[in-house]
PDB file of all heavy atoms in Angstrom:
ATOM      1  N   ARG G 133     -38.123  80.488 159.741  1.00 94.00           N
ATOM      2  CA  ARG G 133     -37.141  80.790 158.630  1.00 94.00           C
ATOM      3  C   ARG G 133     -35.915  81.543 159.179  1.00 94.00           C
ATOM      4  O   ARG G 133     -34.801  81.253 158.825  1.00 94.00           O
ATOM      5  CB  ARG G 133     -37.893  81.633 157.557  1.00 94.00           C
ATOM      6  CG  ARG G 133     -36.979  81.957 156.429  1.00 94.00           C
ATOM      7  CD  ARG G 133     -37.540  83.058 155.533  1.00 94.00           C
ATOM      8  NE  ARG G 133     -36.445  83.530 154.728  1.00 94.00           N
ATOM      9  CZ  ARG G 133     -35.626  84.541 155.141  1.00 94.00           C
ATOM     10  NH1 ARG G 133     -35.752  85.097 156.292  1.00 94.00           N
ATOM     11  NH2 ARG G 133     -34.646  84.936 154.328  1.00 94.00           N
ATOM     12  N   ILE G 134     -36.183  82.575 160.060  1.00 95.00           N
ATOM     13  CA  ILE G 134     -35.071  83.330 160.594  1.00 95.00           C
ATOM     14  C   ILE G 134     -34.163  82.370 161.443  1.00 95.00           C
ATOM     15  O   ILE G 134     -32.946  82.459 161.329  1.00 95.00           O
ATOM     16  CB  ILE G 134     -35.647  84.438 161.483  1.00 95.00           C
ATOM     17  CG1 ILE G 134     -36.337  85.521 160.594  1.00 95.00           C
ATOM     18  CG2 ILE G 134     -34.518  85.097 162.340  1.00 95.00           C
ATOM     19  CD1 ILE G 134     -37.038  86.584 161.343  1.00 95.00           C
ATOM     20  N   LYS G 135     -34.760  81.551 162.202  1.00 94.00           N
ATOM     21  CA  LYS G 135     -33.973  80.610 163.019  1.00 94.00           C
ATOM     22  C   LYS G 135     -33.124  79.684 162.168  1.00 94.00           C
ATOM     23  O   LYS G 135     -31.917  79.553 162.425  1.00 94.00           O
ATOM     24  CB  LYS G 135     -34.916  79.790 163.895  1.00 94.00           C
ATOM     25  CG  LYS G 135     -34.275  78.877 164.859  1.00 94.00           C
ATOM     26  CD  LYS G 135     -35.309  78.132 165.753  1.00 94.00           C
ATOM     27  CE  LYS G 135     -34.583  77.080 166.572  1.00 94.00           C
ATOM     28  NZ  LYS G 135     -35.266  75.833 166.467  1.00 94.00           N
ATOM     29  N   THR G 136     -33.717  79.166 161.105  1.00 94.00           N
ATOM     30  CA  THR G 136     -32.998  78.257 160.243  1.00 94.00           C
ATOM     31  C   THR G 136     -31.849  78.973 159.564  1.00 94.00           C
ATOM     32  O   THR G 136     -30.724  78.420 159.522  1.00 94.00           O
ATOM     33  CB  THR G 136     -33.907  77.669 159.159  1.00 94.00           C
ATOM     34  OG1 THR G 136     -35.012  77.032 159.817  1.00 94.00           O
ATOM     35  CG2 THR G 136     -33.226  76.689 158.234  1.00 94.00           C
ATOM     36  N   ARG G 137     -32.072  80.178 159.087  1.00 94.00           N
ATOM     37  CA  ARG G 137     -30.965  80.905 158.464  1.00 94.00           C
ATOM     38  C   ARG G 137     -29.855  81.217 159.413  1.00 94.00           C
ATOM     39  O   ARG G 137     -28.675  81.103 159.041  1.00 94.00           O
ATOM     40  CB  ARG G 137     -31.500  82.208 157.798  1.00 94.00           C
ATOM     41  CG  ARG G 137     -32.172  81.993 156.432  1.00 94.00           C
ATOM     42  CD  ARG G 137     -32.543  83.335 155.832  1.00 94.00           C
ATOM     43  NE  ARG G 137     -31.345  84.147 155.529  1.00 94.00           N
ATOM     44  CZ  ARG G 137     -30.652  84.066 154.382  1.00 94.00           C
ATOM     45  NH1 ARG G 137     -30.956  83.138 153.491  1.00 94.00           N
ATOM     46  NH2 ARG G 137     -29.609  84.888 154.176  1.00 94.00           N
ATOM     47  N   ARG G 138     -30.177  81.534 160.585  1.00 94.00           N
ATOM     48  CA  ARG G 138     -29.112  81.846 161.635  1.00 94.00           C
ATOM     49  C   ARG G 138     -28.351  80.620 161.924  1.00 94.00           C
ATOM     50  O   ARG G 138     -27.150  80.684 162.177  1.00 94.00           O
ATOM     51  CB  ARG G 138     -29.748  82.557 162.809  1.00 94.00           C
ATOM     52  CG  ARG G 138     -30.190  83.969 162.484  1.00 94.00           C
ATOM     53  CD  ARG G 138     -30.556  84.725 163.721  1.00 94.00           C
ATOM     54  NE  ARG G 138     -31.076  86.025 163.385  1.00 94.00           N
ATOM     55  CZ  ARG G 138     -31.715  86.782 164.283  1.00 94.00           C
ATOM     56  NH1 ARG G 138     -31.915  86.382 165.488  1.00 94.00           N
ATOM     57  NH2 ARG G 138     -32.164  87.966 163.867  1.00 94.00           N
ATOM     58  N   GLU G 139     -29.030  79.451 161.993  1.00 94.00           N
ATOM     59  CA  GLU G 139     -28.295  78.241 162.281  1.00 94.00           C
ATOM     60  C   GLU G 139     -27.346  77.903 161.149  1.00 94.00           C
ATOM     61  O   GLU G 139     -26.338  77.262 161.353  1.00 94.00           O
ATOM     62  CB  GLU G 139     -29.354  77.128 162.448  1.00 94.00           C
ATOM     63  CG  GLU G 139     -30.030  77.118 163.810  1.00 94.00           C
ATOM     64  CD  GLU G 139     -31.247  76.174 163.868  1.00 94.00           C
ATOM     65  OE1 GLU G 139     -31.561  75.553 162.866  1.00 94.00           O
ATOM     66  OE2 GLU G 139     -31.817  76.092 164.965  1.00 94.00           O
ATOM     67  N   GLN G 140     -27.649  78.418 159.928  1.00 94.00           N
ATOM     68  CA  GLN G 140     -26.717  78.222 158.865  1.00 94.00           C
ATOM     69  C   GLN G 140     -25.713  79.352 158.719  1.00 94.00           C
ATOM     70  O   GLN G 140     -25.063  79.433 157.692  1.00 94.00           O
ATOM     71  CB  GLN G 140     -27.568  78.107 157.553  1.00 94.00           C
ATOM     72  CG  GLN G 140     -28.532  76.946 157.480  1.00 94.00           C
ATOM     73  CD  GLN G 140     -29.580  77.025 156.341  1.00 94.00           C
ATOM     74  OE1 GLN G 140     -29.774  78.113 155.757  1.00 94.00           O
ATOM     75  NE2 GLN G 140     -30.251  75.938 156.078  1.00 94.00           N
ATOM     76  N   ASN G 141     -25.646  80.180 159.717  1.00 94.00           N
ATOM     77  CA  ASN G 141     -24.764  81.360 159.755  1.00 94.00           C
ATOM     78  C   ASN G 141     -25.045  82.275 158.577  1.00 94.00           C
ATOM     79  O   ASN G 141     -24.119  82.919 158.028  1.00 94.00           O
ATOM     80  CB  ASN G 141     -23.289  80.881 159.754  1.00 94.00           C
ATOM     81  CG  ASN G 141     -22.920  80.233 161.038  1.00 94.00           C
ATOM     82  OD1 ASN G 141     -23.320  80.727 162.120  1.00 94.00           O
ATOM     83  ND2 ASN G 141     -22.221  79.120 160.936  1.00 94.00           N
ATOM     84  N   LYS G 142     -26.288  82.386 158.202  1.00 93.00           N
ATOM     85  CA  LYS G 142     -26.689  83.376 157.262  1.00 93.00           C
ATOM     86  C   LYS G 142     -27.373  84.592 157.819  1.00 93.00           C
ATOM     87  O   LYS G 142     -28.049  84.372 158.880  1.00 93.00           O
ATOM     88  CB  LYS G 142     -27.620  82.713 156.183  1.00 93.00           C
ATOM     89  CG  LYS G 142     -26.939  81.656 155.325  1.00 93.00           C
ATOM     90  CD  LYS G 142     -27.895  80.995 154.390  1.00 93.00           C
ATOM     91  CE  LYS G 142     -27.188  79.894 153.599  1.00 93.00           C
ATOM     92  NZ  LYS G 142     -28.162  79.135 152.822  1.00 93.00           N
ATOM     93  N   PRO G 143     -27.279  85.725 157.243  1.00 90.00           N
ATOM     94  CA  PRO G 143     -27.930  86.875 157.880  1.00 90.00           C
ATOM     95  C   PRO G 143     -29.437  86.781 157.802  1.00 90.00           C
ATOM     96  O   PRO G 143     -29.959  86.417 156.772  1.00 90.00           O
ATOM     97  CB  PRO G 143     -27.352  88.102 157.076  1.00 90.00           C
ATOM     98  CG  PRO G 143     -26.950  87.490 155.786  1.00 90.00           C
ATOM     99  CD  PRO G 143     -26.503  86.101 156.026  1.00 90.00           C
ATOM    100  N   ALA G 144     -30.093  87.161 158.873  1.00 92.00           N
ATOM    101  CA  ALA G 144     -31.535  87.207 158.932  1.00 92.00           C
ATOM    102  C   ALA G 144     -32.001  88.249 159.929  1.00 92.00           C
ATOM    103  O   ALA G 144     -32.358  87.979 161.033  1.00 92.00           O
ATOM    104  CB  ALA G 144     -32.107  85.822 159.329  1.00 92.00           C
ATOM    105  N   PRO G 145     -31.833  89.563 159.458  1.00 92.00           N
ATOM    106  CA  PRO G 145     -32.150  90.648 160.423  1.00 92.00           C
ATOM    107  C   PRO G 145     -33.628  90.679 160.855  1.00 92.00           C
ATOM    108  O   PRO G 145     -34.496  90.494 160.009  1.00 92.00           O
ATOM    109  CB  PRO G 145     -31.843  91.907 159.598  1.00 92.00           C
ATOM    110  CG  PRO G 145     -31.101  91.422 158.358  1.00 92.00           C
ATOM    111  CD  PRO G 145     -31.499  89.995 158.103  1.00 92.00           C
ATOM    112  N   LEU G 146     -33.823  90.849 162.177  1.00 96.00           N
ATOM    113  CA  LEU G 146     -35.129  90.968 162.739  1.00 96.00           C
ATOM    114  C   LEU G 146     -35.108  92.105 163.677  1.00 96.00           C
ATOM    115  O   LEU G 146     -34.366  92.099 164.664  1.00 96.00           O
ATOM    116  CB  LEU G 146     -35.472  89.636 163.471  1.00 96.00           C
ATOM    117  CG  LEU G 146     -36.830  89.685 164.353  1.00 96.00           C
ATOM    118  CD1 LEU G 146     -38.033  89.970 163.457  1.00 96.00           C
ATOM    119  CD2 LEU G 146     -36.970  88.398 165.067  1.00 96.00           C
ATOM    120  N   GLU G 147     -35.897  93.154 163.348  1.00 97.00           N
ATOM    121  CA  GLU G 147     -35.892  94.398 164.166  1.00 97.00           C
ATOM    122  C   GLU G 147     -37.293  94.772 164.534  1.00 97.00           C
ATOM    123  O   GLU G 147     -38.293  94.331 163.925  1.00 97.00           O
ATOM    124  CB  GLU G 147     -35.207  95.537 163.344  1.00 97.00           C
ATOM    125  CG  GLU G 147     -33.790  95.270 162.930  1.00 97.00           C
ATOM    126  CD  GLU G 147     -33.298  96.304 161.888  1.00 97.00           C
ATOM    127  OE1 GLU G 147     -33.749  97.465 162.086  1.00 97.00           O
ATOM    128  OE2 GLU G 147     -32.541  95.942 161.061  1.00 97.00           O
ATOM    129  N   THR G 148     -37.388  95.588 165.566  1.00 97.00           N
ATOM    130  CA  THR G 148     -38.722  96.116 165.950  1.00 97.00           C
ATOM    131  C   THR G 148     -38.635  97.662 165.921  1.00 97.00           C
ATOM    132  O   THR G 148     -37.522  98.237 165.965  1.00 97.00           O
ATOM    133  CB  THR G 148     -39.129  95.685 167.335  1.00 97.00           C
ATOM    134  OG1 THR G 148     -38.136  96.100 168.324  1.00 97.00           O
ATOM    135  CG2 THR G 148     -39.217  94.161 167.417  1.00 97.00           C
ATOM    136  N   CYS G 149     -39.765  98.267 165.871  1.00 97.00           N
ATOM    137  CA  CYS G 149     -39.826  99.700 165.905  1.00 97.00           C
ATOM    138  C   CYS G 149     -41.051 100.174 166.612  1.00 97.00           C
ATOM    139  O   CYS G 149     -42.009  99.492 166.827  1.00 97.00           O
ATOM    140  CB  CYS G 149     -39.722 100.262 164.454  1.00 97.00           C
ATOM    141  SG  CYS G 149     -41.236 100.053 163.546  1.00 97.00           S
ATOM    142  N   HIS G 150     -41.073 101.484 166.957  1.00 97.00           N
ATOM    143  CA  HIS G 150     -42.151 102.145 167.628  1.00 97.00           C
ATOM    144  C   HIS G 150     -42.181 103.570 167.248  1.00 97.00           C
ATOM    145  O   HIS G 150     -41.316 103.993 166.458  1.00 97.00           O
ATOM    146  CB  HIS G 150     -42.036 101.935 169.159  1.00 97.00           C
ATOM    147  CG  HIS G 150     -40.676 102.299 169.728  1.00 97.00           C
ATOM    148  ND1 HIS G 150     -40.318 103.567 169.953  1.00 97.00           N
ATOM    149  CD2 HIS G 150     -39.553 101.514 169.946  1.00 97.00           C
ATOM    150  CE1 HIS G 150     -39.087 103.627 170.331  1.00 97.00           C
ATOM    151  NE2 HIS G 150     -38.560 102.400 170.334  1.00 97.00           N
ATOM    152  N   ALA G 151     -43.117 104.345 167.799  1.00 97.00           N
ATOM    153  CA  ALA G 151     -43.182 105.773 167.464  1.00 97.00           C
ATOM    154  C   ALA G 151     -41.806 106.413 167.737  1.00 97.00           C
ATOM    155  O   ALA G 151     -41.273 106.301 168.845  1.00 97.00           O
ATOM    156  CB  ALA G 151     -44.238 106.416 168.291  1.00 97.00           C
ATOM    157  N   GLY G 152     -41.285 107.121 166.701  1.00 97.00           N
ATOM    158  CA  GLY G 152     -40.001 107.824 166.948  1.00 97.00           C
ATOM    159  C   GLY G 152     -38.793 107.042 166.318  1.00 97.00           C
ATOM    160  O   GLY G 152     -37.747 107.583 166.168  1.00 97.00           O
ATOM    161  N   SER G 153     -39.043 105.777 165.962  1.00 97.00           N
ATOM    162  CA  SER G 153     -37.931 104.950 165.376  1.00 97.00           C
ATOM    163  C   SER G 153     -37.648 105.504 163.941  1.00 97.00           C
ATOM    164  O   SER G 153     -38.593 105.756 163.195  1.00 97.00           O
ATOM    165  CB  SER G 153     -38.285 103.477 165.292  1.00 97.00           C
ATOM    166  OG  SER G 153     -38.475 102.986 166.587  1.00 97.00           O
ATOM    167  N   VAL G 154     -36.377 105.574 163.610  1.00 98.00           N
ATOM    168  CA  VAL G 154     -35.963 105.910 162.250  1.00 98.00           C
ATOM    169  C   VAL G 154     -35.546 104.566 161.596  1.00 98.00           C
ATOM    170  O   VAL G 154     -34.524 103.972 162.008  1.00 98.00           O
ATOM    171  CB  VAL G 154     -34.862 106.960 162.198  1.00 98.00           C
ATOM    172  CG1 VAL G 154     -34.476 107.197 160.754  1.00 98.00           C
ATOM    173  CG2 VAL G 154     -35.253 108.167 162.897  1.00 98.00           C
ATOM    174  N   LEU G 155     -36.267 104.101 160.566  1.00 98.00           N
ATOM    175  CA  LEU G 155     -36.007 102.825 160.001  1.00 98.00           C
ATOM    176  C   LEU G 155     -34.920 102.923 158.931  1.00 98.00           C
ATOM    177  O   LEU G 155     -34.207 101.979 158.681  1.00 98.00           O
ATOM    178  CB  LEU G 155     -37.287 102.231 159.352  1.00 98.00           C
ATOM    179  CG  LEU G 155     -38.296 101.516 160.298  1.00 98.00           C
ATOM    180  CD1 LEU G 155     -38.723 102.404 161.451  1.00 98.00           C
ATOM    181  CD2 LEU G 155     -39.451 101.068 159.543  1.00 98.00           C
TER     182      LEU G 155
END
Side-chain angles (χ1 to χ4, degrees):
Chain G
R133 181 195 162 272
I134 291 171
K135 186 175 170 230
T136 303
R137 277 187 64 83
R138 289 191 183 166
E139 284 169 354
Q140 297 167 346
N141 291 320
K142 292 177 180 171
L146 171 61
E147 302 171 31
T148 59
C149 72
H150 49 82
S153 300
V154 180
L155 279 55

